[in-house]
Amino acid sequence: IVSGSGFFFTNIDIRNAKENAIVIRPGDGDVALYGWFTNVLADTSGSTGIQISPGPSGIVYSMTFVDCWASTNGAHGVVVEPGSGTVDGLEFIGQRCYDNQQNGMVIIGGKNISILGGQFSGNSKAAADTYNGIVVAAGVSEFKIQNTRCGPASGRGSGQAIGIQVVTGASDNYM
């Protein structure tokens, strides 16, 4: 997605993408807003399952992911990386991130990001006890992680280093 609004994606299975399976990347000055992803699977891509990374001054507002899957990817399950763009208002409800080579989800920047329910388990396949279920980096503000399983679950062991890592410098305004 490079620009526009009012996106509805339902019951889609994306497997074996060479790079990232789903990319939301509005370019310089472009806006992508009001997107709903329901039962969307981003599985076994060469890199990241779901990549949200606007270009310089690009904007991503109000995207909701319900019962989505980002698993068995060559890097991370989900990455939110605004760079010099803006990400504000993401919801991940019932997200599943299993068996990724690196982290289940990495939030490098943005604000008003919610992870409600879901499971982040069996990640760090590239190197045991190195990567995590969820990582929230310095500079992320106003986020919440609630009712989420980030450890052994659904037949997966404890190969992740940490279930949830909140890096020093992330906002004090989180739940």
Side-chain angles (χ1 to χ4, degrees), residues 99-111:
D99 301 326
N100 291 292
Q101 292 297 306
Q102 297 177 13
N103 299 290
M105 179 181 282
V106 181
I107 304 169
I108 297 170
K111 66 180 183 177

Side-chain angles (χ1 to χ4, degrees), residues 72 97-102 104 119-126 131-133 150-153 155-160:
T72 327
C97 290
Y98 298 131
D99 301 326
N100 291 292
Q101 292 297 306
Q102 297 177 13
Q119 295 183 0
F120 299 78
S121 183
N123 297 293
S124 195
K125 292 295 185 191
Y131 299 100
N132 308 304
C150 294
R156 288 158 178 87
S158 59
Q160 300 173 167

Side-chain angles (χ1 to χ4, degrees), residues 12-23 40-51 69-77 100:
I12 298 171
D13 186 0
I14 302 168
R15 284 187 268 172
N16 301 310
K18 184 177 179 181
E19 297 287 328
N20 302 319
I22 298 169
V23 178
V40 175
L41 284 67
D43 196 351
T44 321
S45 75
S47 188
T48 296
I50 301 170
Q51 176 82 33
W69 172 281
S71 299
T72 327
N73 292 294
H76 309 286
N100 291 292

